[in-house]
Amino acid sequence: MLVVMRKNAAPAEIELVTKAIEQKGYSARPIPGGERVAICVLYNKGPVDASYLSSLPGVKEAIPVTRQYKLVSRESQSWDTVIDVGGVLVGNGHLTIMAGPCAVESELQMMTIAEAVKKAGAQILRGGAFKPRTSPYAFQGLGEEGLKILAKVRSETGMPVVTEAVDHEVLDMVEEYADIIQIGARNMQNFSLLRRAGKARKPVLLKRGMSATIEELLMAAEYIMEGGNDQVILCERGVRTFAHHSRNTLDLSAIPVVRQETHLPVIVDPSHAAGRRDQVIPLSRAAVAVGCHGLMVEVHNAPETALSDGPQSLYPDQFDDLCRQISPIFDVYKASTNGCAENRQAEKPAPLDAGMV
Ligand code: PEP
Ligand code: MN
């Protein structure tokens, strides 16, 4: 249930509604909008008495929220969330490019790659300091030393950095050093880690599990938002199928569905989807055409000696090609969807005034 307050509802009226919801044994989560506040009812086991809540002073209407993922759902927030990552915007109207190696290997490697991807057009630098590897014998990452390198490269290039937190202890560290905390595919349903990410003061990049449905991805995001962190970026990175021609199968159809279901931004990782560099540029073009809010691409200056995911890492000049190729596609996407329903729902804060929330 979403209790929509009237424009200019007094703080005391909002307080009263919040108390009324809590007295019923539920939890109330205010969602501030342009000119109007909506209050989302959480933890109700059955239907909520809408007529009682609608009758309270200052209430415009009470709308049922049909989805399980309440805070994540467009039913709770009709306009698109845009996340500010150190001045770089992620969300509606922007195509944000994150690029860098799979793993941080050395300061020289990170500086070399950061300069190359920045020149090509990347705005955010990626690089894993803690790597979730299938084999315990594979390179596990430089650990905190890797985080220090990322922080140093950020200070020299001005690029915000995204890096993965594989467990609670690492998340504490990543929160200190990084600009975006990545939760990887393998941890998408690590619910205690998601709750910890919900308490973090930094945006979270949540990657879809390799066999997760879209509902499961959105429920995982709900854990983070329920914890109090509304800065969540979703990432489609391919799901496991019977195909052997690529490492995973990039689920392009997830993008329009996710955009319809949630106000959160959604980006695509073509590198882990493909697993081989020859597919990365074509998949990137397709991802932009289908409406993603950004890409996360693995790039390495010497992929043949990379300590992780070399075969899918682009050479810097290929990444430069990728950026050139997607730019006109994004322009066409924007021009051709301008005024369409898909974009109308993304206006902010007009939908509030239009009475949706
Ligand atoms: C990564 O981004 O380095 C990574 C391990 O990705 P995923 O969790 O999608 O496999
Ligand atoms: Mn990788």
Side-chain angles (χ1 to χ4, degrees):
M1 178 71 59
L2 191 73
V3 183
V4 184
M5 302 303 293
R6 293 187 192 286
K7 273 187 199 176
N8 313 322
E13 290 173 328
I14 297 171
E15 181 71 22
L16 188 86
V17 173
T18 304
K19 289 257 161 61
I21 293 168
E22 286 169 356
Q23 267 162 18
K24 296 258 176 212
Y26 315 140
S27 168
R29 178 70 60 88
I31 303 174
E35 294 181 22
R36 184 178 281 150
V37 170
I39 303 167
C40 194
V41 180
L42 303 175
Y43 291 107
N44 55 302
K45 299 271 183 296
V48 178
D49 184 355
S51 57
Y52 167 63
L53 291 173
S54 319
S55 69
L56 295 174
V59 174
K60 179 171 180 277
E61 58 187 333
I63 305 169
V65 175
T66 61
R67 304 293 199 263
Q68 296 262 41
Y69 36 89
K70 298 186 177 195
L71 298 167
V72 160
S73 162
R74 278 224 185 259
E75 291 177 325
S76 299
Q77 181 185 311
S78 59
W79 70 93
D80 277 13
T81 291
V82 177
I83 297 173
D84 186 333
V85 185
V88 176
L89 299 180
V90 186
N92 182 41
H94 306 275
L95 183 68
T96 312
I97 310 301
M98 310 180 188
C102 181
V104 178
E105 298 169 13
S106 70
E107 190 179 323
L108 179 62
Q109 171 242 18
M110 280 312 296
M111 263 318 289
T112 309
I113 298 171
E115 277 168 359
V117 297
K118 185 180 177 184
K119 191 156 164 256
Q123 297 126 297
I124 295 176
L125 183 65
R126 68 148 285 148
F130 294 85
K131 295 304 305 173
R133 302 304 297 274
T134 304
S135 164
Y137 308 114
F139 176 59
Q140 305 286 310
L142 293 182
E144 190 169 5
E145 180 55 29
L147 296 179
K148 289 184 178 157
I149 292 173
L150 284 171
K152 181 145 192 237
V153 175
R154 171 186 46 212
S155 72
E156 289 185 23
T157 60
M159 295 177 86
V161 297
V162 52
T163 194
E164 181 165 352
V166 290
D167 58 35
H168 282 241
E169 202 183 331
V170 171
L171 203 149
D172 290 345
M173 270 191 262
V174 167
E175 189 179 6
E176 288 305 314
Y177 288 97
D179 301 285
I180 304 178
I181 302 161
Q182 178 173 323
I183 305 276
R186 289 154 193 81
N187 267 321
M188 190 206 83
Q189 284 191 312
N190 180 338
F191 300 116
S192 75
L193 191 63
L194 295 175
R195 284 199 193 282
R196 170 64 187 86
K199 299 285 169 234
R201 293 161 281 109
K202 298 269 172 79
V204 175
L205 175 65
L206 177 64
K207 300 188 83 174
R208 181 180 179 185
M210 59 189 80
S211 59
T213 63
I214 291 171
E215 285 80 2
E216 286 165 338
L217 171 65
L218 297 176
M219 289 308 294
E222 185 78 9
Y223 266 88
I224 302 172
M225 285 197 72
E226 192 275 338
N229 189 348
D230 53 11
Q231 298 190 292
V232 183
I233 303 162
L234 304 169
C235 180
E236 161 61 37
R237 46 77 75 202
V239 288
R240 186 163 282 184
T241 66
F242 49 81
H244 291 298
H245 59 272
S246 59
R247 181 173 173 181
N248 292 289
T249 298
L250 181 60
D251 183 6
L252 285 171
S253 66
I255 305 305
V257 174
V258 166
R259 287 195 59 161
Q260 223 164 49
E261 286 298 309
T262 178
H263 51 86
L264 296 172
V266 56
I267 69 164
V268 166
D269 170 351
S271 305
H272 290 88
R276 38 188 283 186
R277 82 174 59 85
D278 62 336
Q279 294 177 1
V280 172
I281 294 180
L283 291 180
S284 300
R285 290 194 301 254
V288 173
V290 85
C292 68
H293 294 111
L295 297 173
M296 184 159 84
V297 183
E298 285 187 342
V299 180
H300 201 288
N301 55 330
E304 48 299 317
T305 57
L307 297 180
S308 178
D309 284 345
Q312 68 197 31
S313 299
L314 295 186
Y315 288 91
D317 60 338
Q318 291 180 308
F319 179 67
D320 196 69
D321 281 345
L322 182 152
C323 291
R324 282 179 211 284
Q325 291 184 30
I326 59 173
S327 170
I329 297 174
F330 185 54
D331 290 342
V332 170
Y333 172 80
K334 273 193 298 188
S336 59
T337 56
N338 190 20
C340 296
E342 180 186 0
N343 275 4
R344 274 204 299 277
Q345 70 192 112
E347 289 159 11
K348 183 198 172 190
L352 284 177
D353 297 333
M356 166 68 189
V357 176

